[in-house]
Amino acid sequence: MIRTEYIRFLQTLNAQSVSADVRKMANLVLQHLGTLIPLSTAKGQRIQKIAKLAQENWSSVGTDIHPPSEQVTEQTCPIIQLKSISVGPFRGFAKQEDFDLDSKLVLIYGPNGTGKSSFCEALEYGLLGNVAEAESKRFRNQQDYLKNAYTESFTPPTLVGLDSQGNDISITRNEVLYRFCFVEKNRIDNFSRIAAQAPAKQTELISSLFGLDAFTEFVRNFTDTMDCRYIVLEGVKAKELVKKREVLAGYQQQLKTTFPEEIQNIEKEERDLAQAYREGCTLPQMITELNGTEEQVGLIKQLEEELQQQLPSKSNVTINSLDALKQSIETNISELAGKQDELSKASQQVSFKQLYDAVTRLKESSPENCPACQTPLSQVKVNPFDYADAELKKLGHLSRLQDELKTLKSDIATSLNSLSGMINTCCTRYPENNPLIAIQISDEKAITTDWWHSLLQKSDVELTLLLHIENQVKQLEESDKAIDKAAAERTEKQAKLTKLRKLAEQIVKLQTRGETANGTKKKAEEAIAQFNRENAQLIANSEEEKTVVVQNQAIANAYAILVQKLNAYINSLPAKLVADLGETVSQLYNAFNRNDSEHEQLANIRFPLSQNQRLQITFKKNPSKYYDALHILSEGHIRCVGLAILTAKNLKENCPLLIFDDPVNAIDDDHRESIRKTLFEDTFFNNKQIILACHGEEFFKDIQNLLSVDKSSQSKTVSFLPKTGDTHILVNLNCSSRNYIIAARSHYDRNEIRDALVKSRQALESLTKGKVWRYVNRYGDGNLSIKLCSATAPIGLRNLTEQLKAKINKADFSDGNKTDVLTPIESLLGVSGDSREWRYLNNGIHEKTDRAEFDRQTVHQIITGLEGLDAALKVQEAK
């Protein structure tokens, strides 16, 4: 089971997302499955073994996942039932034993220890190719478990089946097709103990119910990860080398990140700087242009040389200022002449003004007396001082005229001095053959109006000196403009030079940074090179070790992923196993508990499909309310749930067989009758061959009597007998039928009349209490009134049969074909109740000597009536 389920798991690894290493690890586990199954997580047994096997075989293990050998293209069972099986030597069978299974119902009975389990294991091995019990008992080689202990030999069982055309067909072991054909007691027992398990365990018990507990345990015994405790994942030399290389961490960091980042930043800044200088320019071109070469002067030096040349000083003379001087001089001289003429005409008034000014000045020295005669002012006729003031006021315009003349003379002198300055400037700028040199005056006192008038005289044939001045001033003014232009250009050059110098400084900084980075890189490379030289042997040893470590890391990684996928697979199994089974499980559970009240009948069931989930149920009375099944269901009902799940899965998978391995111990007495009816009266399993092995004779008997005589006679019954010292299993392949009617007929045919009558009483009791009474309830009034002789007296069958007949005879009995049932009952009651035979039917057969003989014909009539009643009830049950 472990191998087949593991192979089924392997098929999930064919997805593209699964690496080749994981598939390789999965195949390695498969190749050594027998070795690994007994090993657990205790002391790391299994993982240590896997690590060792992987290291030894990693290069030789394949990566292809092969399909299981029993896989068929269409998962359709080629048979409709088993026909025969040949067993032995096998387990308890010391020699070959042939079993005829050519019936839709095969019933196998035998006490514990008589060989039933060996027979069921033969079916299991013949159909599935493995026996789950062998795995649970830790047999690495199943043949060691399956061989007969006395002969020490093993022969695989041979099974023959029937196909849909009725042809014999040899059965090939196929676990995929037949795995859900088996219902085992142990699985139901385990499931019933679900109440004692933690919620986390309940999903595992769903798997256990389907016989996967061994596979679950196998999966749980994988350690999650393969770490350094089990396999070398870091080389010893590599560790030593890593420790030594810690001193190089700074250098390696510089080479790995710092230096590349710095170089990248420098290069970017160089590109940005060159683009800022001129679009499309590169840094080398920029350096050449700025700094020049041996053959070519750079822009910076060129500008520096140009700026070192001094500009000539400006004359700061303009023709406009000259014209203004000329205009001022001419105007002032003309106005001065007019003022002087006016003053000359008022010369007498000027004398009186001077007199009056003198008198006014004497007032301070002689304020009380006349300044001329010293006569007291109080005695004079006219106050001289007041008179002088009054007259001065009258002559005030003369004072203003004199002031104006003074101002004009000053202005004229200033203008003439300015003009002399212009002349001096012209002579300084044009010293050669300059006619103005002759009129240069260094003494300002010598600059008079006469000097001015001399300028207006022609110094040569055509030009006056003033015209020479004008011409030279114009030339100087143009020179000043040229100087101003040169100064503006010089300012622009200075700004450009400043900009270029800044660019040059940035270039120097970038070059310095580059040199520093390259120096740092070189230093780091030299340090690493020196380290490599000093540790050359250690590095070589580490490289040799690396191959092993890389393989080990691949092994450890593949192992961890495989274990994850195994656990995911086992966790998903419950959901896959019970998918879409809820409704069928509920129907079967209700059939198994048909005698329960309606409010105890299930409406739905939820299975624990993931960790910490619980088995939940709802009842028909309130189908929306879910309950914890373990909290409210008895152990017997829990067993019914387990049986319902297994049989529902059998139906879901359309299995042709339903094989019960000793279900008596797994089913309590209260449910056995309903389970028998579900299996053999209801329609769930009509088209399946049922093989049922049990150790309970009553259960064996009850099944045969639940069936009609027709079905019971067609079934195959095998009885395993207690051993009597023989090492071989004792089998009765033709055991007598436990069906009362068949047994009665058989005794009658052998003229065993008393025994026939014993079985007839049992048959009548079984039919009336079990089937006829139910039939009456179905179509009429099933309430009976039965008289008992005492509290311990049995029900009189005659009285019971007559009351049932009366109920059927009523006009309101709804079955239109009631005559089919009534006729054989009347035949049975046609025998007198006082007859010896009916008295024995009614009260049972007790041992007594000298008893009168029973009437053979009467017994025949009773048996025939029972057979007719059984046949009629069979027709009714089919409706």
Side-chain angles (χ1 to χ4, degrees), residues 9-28:
F9 157 73
L10 289 184
Q11 308 313 306
T12 66
L13 302 182
N14 273 321
Q16 292 182 353
S17 58
V18 179
S19 69
D21 284 346
V22 174
R23 294 196 296 270
K24 183 182 288 190
M25 177 60 71
N27 283 332
L28 178 77

Side-chain angles (χ1 to χ4, degrees), residues 279-399:
E279 186 176 356
C281 184
T282 63
L283 189 68
Q285 291 174 339
M286 179 181 176
I287 293 173
T288 300
E289 292 183 14
L290 294 183
N291 299 330
T293 62
E294 293 181 358
E295 296 80 14
Q296 180 181 351
V297 178
L299 289 176
I300 293 177
K301 187 175 182 181
Q302 181 180 338
L303 288 173
E304 288 175 342
E305 291 176 352
E306 291 177 357
L307 291 172
Q308 286 176 357
Q309 298 176 3
Q310 295 295 325
L311 291 176
S313 60
K314 291 174 61 176
S315 62
N316 293 319
V317 295
T318 64
I319 194 64
N320 289 334
S321 61
L322 177 60
D323 289 341
L325 283 176
K326 286 168 51 181
Q327 183 66 32
S328 175
I329 293 172
E330 290 176 347
T331 300
N332 288 338
I333 290 177
S334 175
E335 189 173 350
L336 178 60
K339 296 292 183 182
Q340 287 177 338
D341 185 55
E342 183 179 353
L343 185 59
S344 175
K345 292 179 179 180
S347 59
Q348 185 177 357
Q349 290 178 334
V350 170
S351 298
F352 283 110
K353 178 177 179 300
Q354 291 174 347
L355 175 62
Y356 296 148
D357 285 335
V359 172
T360 301
R361 288 193 294 270
L362 291 174
K363 184 177 181 180
E364 294 179 359
S365 61
S366 181
E368 301 296 333
N369 300 308
C370 174
C373 63
Q374 292 297 310
T375 301
L377 294 180
S378 59
Q379 298 177 9
V380 295
K381 184 178 181 180
V382 176
N383 187 324
F385 297 114
D386 293 337
Y387 181 76
D389 287 337
E391 289 299 320
L392 282 174
K393 289 179 181 179
K394 294 178 182 179
L395 297 175
H397 69 282
L398 291 178
S399 179

Side-chain angles (χ1 to χ4, degrees), residues 474-486:
K474 287 180 181 179
Q475 292 178 15
L476 290 175
E477 185 177 9
E478 291 300 322
S479 295
D480 283 353
K481 289 180 180 179
I483 292 170
D484 287 339
K485 183 177 179 181

Side-chain angles (χ1 to χ4, degrees), residues 9 16 31 72 150 158 198 299 314 332 334 379 439 483 500 508 556 558 561 566 656 675 685 694 751 769 803 807 840:
F9 157 73
Q16 292 182 353
Q31 290 176 8
V72 293
Y150 298 102
T158 303
L299 289 176
K314 291 174 61 176
N332 288 338
S334 175
Q379 298 177 9
I439 59 172
I483 292 170
L500 294 181
V508 172
I561 296 174
L566 263 172
I675 289 173
F685 307 100
C694 67
N751 205 31
K769 290 182 179 180
Q803 289 202 46
K807 293 289 185 180
Y840 289 170

Side-chain angles (χ1 to χ4, degrees), residues 590-648:
N590 292 337
F592 296 156
N593 295 274
R594 63 186 66 206
N595 295 324
D596 290 352
S597 60
E598 185 177 359
H599 73 274
E600 294 179 303
Q601 297 279 303
L602 296 189
N604 198 8
I605 184 168
R606 286 179 180 170
F607 304 103
L609 303 181
S610 61
Q611 195 172 26
N612 295 321
Q613 286 188 348
R614 289 186 174 272
L615 184 68
Q616 294 182 309
I617 56 174
T618 63
F619 295 105
K620 289 184 177 180
K621 185 177 181 181
N622 186 5
S624 62
K625 174 66 175 177
Y626 278 89
Y627 299 91
D628 183 348
L630 307 182
H631 187 242
I632 62 174
L633 293 183
S634 66
E635 183 177 345
H637 285 90
I638 291 293
R639 290 174 181 269
C640 287
V641 172
L643 179 60
I645 293 173
L646 289 175
T647 50

